[in-house]
Amino acid sequence: MAERNSTLPCTPSVLTAGGARLAAASRSAAAQSAVVLGIRVGGAVLQMLLVGAVALRFSVEDVGLNGVLWSVALVARMAGTVGVDVIGLRTASPLWTGGQARAARAVARRDLRAVSTLWGWGLAALALACAGMALARRPWELLLALGVVAAASAFERLFVVQRQARGWPVLGQFLESVALPGLGLLGALLAAAFAPDLLVLSQVAAFVLVAVALWFASPAGPLVPGGQLQRPRAPRHRVTARHRSEGTTAFGAVRRPARRAASSGLPDVDCCRSPEIGPVPWRAALTVGAGNALTALCVRGPMFVLGGHSLATAGVYEVAQKVQSGGAMGTSAVATVFSSRIATTLRDLRGLARLLAQAAASSLVLPVGLLAFLFVVGQDGLVRLLGTDYQGAWTAATVLVAATVVNAVTSAFSTVLMLGGRERVFTVISALQMVLVVGGALLTGSRTAETMAAWVLVGEFFRSACMAGGLWLHVRAVKTD
C-alpha cells in the first residue's frame, strides 16, 4: 500500500505519550479480551435463544428462511465493505497509537465515504429491481429485505473495525454481539405473539437499529470520541505552493503551533501535523474484500446450497450452525482485541509469535468447552428440546464445532496475511477453500446437514494448513529484509 505520509517530527513529549499509550494498551489487552469474550459468550447465548425461539414458535421452513436472512447478513458483514475496513484498520491503528487522532479520524471519514458511495449505487439498483418486480406482480419484499440487511451489516462491520483501530472494541462488540441478537429475539417473540408474517421485518429492523447506533459511536460518525459534536469541515482544496507557504493543510485547515499539555498532564493528541490522507488504495482493498467474500461463502455457502434445495433442511443446518457460532464467538472475540496489536507488531517476529500463541490459546477455550457440552447433552437431548424435525442437528453441530476448534489454532494467521501486505495469498487460500467446500458438496450431491458439515470440516483443515504456510512466507520475508 502506497499511502503518502508527510508528517513532521512530533515533540518528544508526544512520542513519549505514544509509547505510554502502546504500553498501556498491551497491559490492558488481556482484560479487554476477557470483556469482549464475555460479551461474545452472551451474544452466542442470545443467538441460540433466537434460533430456539424461532424453531419452537415457527415452522422449520421459517427457521430456514430466517437462516438465509442471517446468512446474507454474515456474507455482507465480511464482504460488504470490499476490504475498505481492513485497509482502514491497517492505516489508522498506527495513527491512533502515535497520538495522531485528527489523521486517524480523516481515514475513518474517507472510508465511510467510499463504502457509502458503493452501497448508495447498490441500493439504488435494488430499488429499481424491486420496482420492476412489483410492476410484473412478482414478490419483491424478500429481495428488498435481504438488500437492506446486507447494507446494514456492511456498515456495522465498518464501524466496529473503526472502533477496533481506535483501541475501543467493547462497545462495538456489545452492539453487534448482544444488542443485535437481543433485538432479533425480541422481534421474533413479538412477531410470534401478534403478527407471524412480520418475522423477517422484525429481523431487518434489528439490523438497521444497530447500524445506526454504531454510526453514532464510530470515529466517522456525527459524534467524535468524547461526545463532542464535530465542527463542519472546511471545503477541500488542492494543496499548492501558496497553501503551504500560508500554513494550510490538505484539508483546508490552518496549521496551528503545538499546544501545551492540558491540565490532565497528557499532551494534545493533535499537535502533530496531520498527514495527507490519500484515496482508498482500491487494489489492495478489493483483494482483501474478495478474500473476505470467499471466506464468507465458505461459511454460509452451504446454507445457500441447502436452502435452494429445501428450506426444511436449511432449518436443520441453521440450528447446527447457531450452536457452532457459540464456539466461533471466542475466536472472533480474540481477533477483535488482537488485530490492532498485530498491525503494529508485524515486523517484530518475537512479539508477533507471542501474540499468535496468546491468540490461539484464548481462541480454543470456548469451542473446546462447547464441544464437551455437546457430548454431554447428546443427540437425544437436542431432539427432545426441538422435536424430531431436527434429528440431524446434533451431528452437524458437533462436526461444525470441531471445524471451529481447527480454525481457532490458526485464525490469527489470516490477520497477519491481510495486514502484512499478502492480500493475494489470503484471497487465493479463501478461493481454494470455497471451491473445496461448496464444489465438493455440489459434486457429491450433499443434501443433508450432516454431510454439508463434513465438507466444512475438510475445508477448515485445508485452510489452516495453507494459513500456516502463508505465515511462514511472512516470517521468511521479514528475516530477509
Side-chain angles (χ1 to χ4, degrees):
M1 182 181 66
E3 287 221 14
R4 294 175 297 164
N5 192 330
S6 59
T7 56
L8 294 176
C10 297
T11 60
S13 62
V14 173
L15 295 177
T16 303
R21 290 189 191 93
L22 184 58
S26 299
R27 288 193 299 268
S28 64
Q32 279 189 345
S33 182
V35 172
V36 173
L37 181 58
I39 291 173
R40 288 284 189 168
V41 170
V45 172
L46 286 173
Q47 287 274 9
M48 287 185 278
L49 289 175
L50 170 60
V51 73
V54 176
L56 292 174
R57 294 175 177 267
F58 295 87
S59 68
V60 65
E61 287 79 10
D62 287 331
V63 176
L65 181 60
N66 194 56
V68 170
L69 181 76
W70 280 80
S71 296
V72 168
L74 178 64
V75 173
R77 181 183 180 274
M78 297 183 68
T81 60
V82 293
V84 172
D85 58 324
V86 176
I87 298 301
L89 173 69
R90 187 166 69 186
T91 305
S93 288
L95 295 175
W96 285 117
T97 302
Q100 301 184 57
R102 184 182 305 164
R105 292 190 188 107
V107 172
R109 290 191 290 269
R110 176 202 70 182
D111 295 345
L112 177 58
R113 287 193 298 269
V115 175
S116 298
T117 300
L118 289 174
W119 276 102
W121 285 106
L123 290 177
L126 177 67
L128 290 176
C130 290
M133 295 175 67
L135 291 175
R137 298 189 178 185
R138 299 181 60 184
W140 54 271
E141 294 86 353
L142 180 59
L143 178 62
L144 180 62
L146 294 177
V148 173
V149 164
S153 298
F155 283 104
E156 285 174 14
R157 168 69 176 176
L158 177 66
F159 299 143
V160 167
V161 171
Q162 287 178 348
R163 289 187 62 85
Q164 290 177 22
R166 179 66 180 90
W168 293 347
V170 175
L171 178 60
Q173 292 305 306
F174 176 82
L175 290 172
E176 186 180 49
S177 301
V178 176
L180 178 58
L183 289 173
L185 175 60
L186 177 62
L189 293 175
L190 291 175
F194 301 105
D197 293 339
L198 298 182
L199 172 63
V200 171
L201 181 61
S202 70
Q203 305 304 293
V204 173
F207 281 99
V208 172
L209 288 173
V210 171
V212 172
L214 281 168
W215 175 54
F216 277 97
S218 74
L223 298 177
V224 299
Q228 298 297 320
L229 287 172
Q230 291 182 0
R231 296 173 181 170
R233 291 182 315 194
R236 299 185 64 177
H237 300 286
R238 292 177 59 88
V239 180
T240 64
R242 181 177 63 85
H243 286 119
R244 292 190 181 96
S245 64
E246 293 176 357
T248 57
T249 67
F251 304 101
V254 179
R255 296 193 190 105
R256 294 177 174 83
R259 292 177 292 181
R260 302 213 34 107
S263 58
S264 61
L266 294 177
D268 177 14
V269 295
D270 287 332
C271 68
C272 300
R273 173 182 171 184
S274 296
E276 297 178 13
I277 303 301
V280 175
W282 285 109
R283 185 173 183 177
L286 291 175
T287 304
V288 173
N292 283 333
L294 294 167
T295 300
L297 289 175
C298 289
V299 176
R300 290 295 184 172
M303 173 63 73
F304 299 141
V305 173
L306 293 176
H309 176 68
S310 168
L311 282 177
T313 306
V316 175
Y317 190 81
E318 168 68 4
V319 170
Q321 200 160 52
K322 277 296 185 290
V323 174
Q324 176 260 350
S325 67
M329 288 292 182
T331 302
S332 180
V334 172
T336 297
V337 174
F338 279 83
S339 57
S340 60
R341 298 180 64 200
I342 290 175
T344 58
T345 323
L346 290 170
R347 312 295 297 180
D348 178 12
L349 294 183
R350 183 174 298 179
L352 181 61
R354 185 164 53 249
L355 284 178
L356 295 179
Q358 292 174 0
S362 301
S363 297
L364 283 169
V365 174
L366 205 55
V368 170
L370 183 58
L371 191 61
F373 173 77
L374 282 173
F375 280 110
V376 171
V377 172
Q379 181 172 352
D380 293 338
L382 191 61
V383 170
R384 281 196 301 269
L385 176 64
L386 299 178
T388 56
D389 288 337
Y390 300 92
Q391 188 71 38
W394 181 88
T395 302
T398 303
V399 175
L400 289 175
V401 173
T404 304
V405 172
V406 175
N407 176 65
V409 178
T410 59
S411 176
F413 296 2
S414 61
T415 305
V416 176
L417 296 184
M418 286 189 291
L419 300 180
R422 298 190 176 275
E423 302 91 355
R424 293 183 181 180
V425 176
F426 169 74
T427 301
V428 169
I429 293 173
S430 300
L432 293 175
Q433 183 190 11
M434 189 201 68
V435 171
L436 178 62
V437 174
V438 179
L442 290 174
L443 289 175
T444 57
S446 298
R447 292 293 184 267
T448 66
E450 300 95 312
T451 55
M452 195 64 74
W455 276 108
V456 172
L457 178 60
V458 171
E460 208 57 66
F461 272 113
F462 172 81
R463 177 186 178 86
S464 294
C466 291
M467 288 297 174
L471 178 65
W472 176 78
L473 290 176
H474 173 79
V475 172
R476 190 180 68 172
V478 172
K479 287 182 177 180
T480 55
D481 285 347

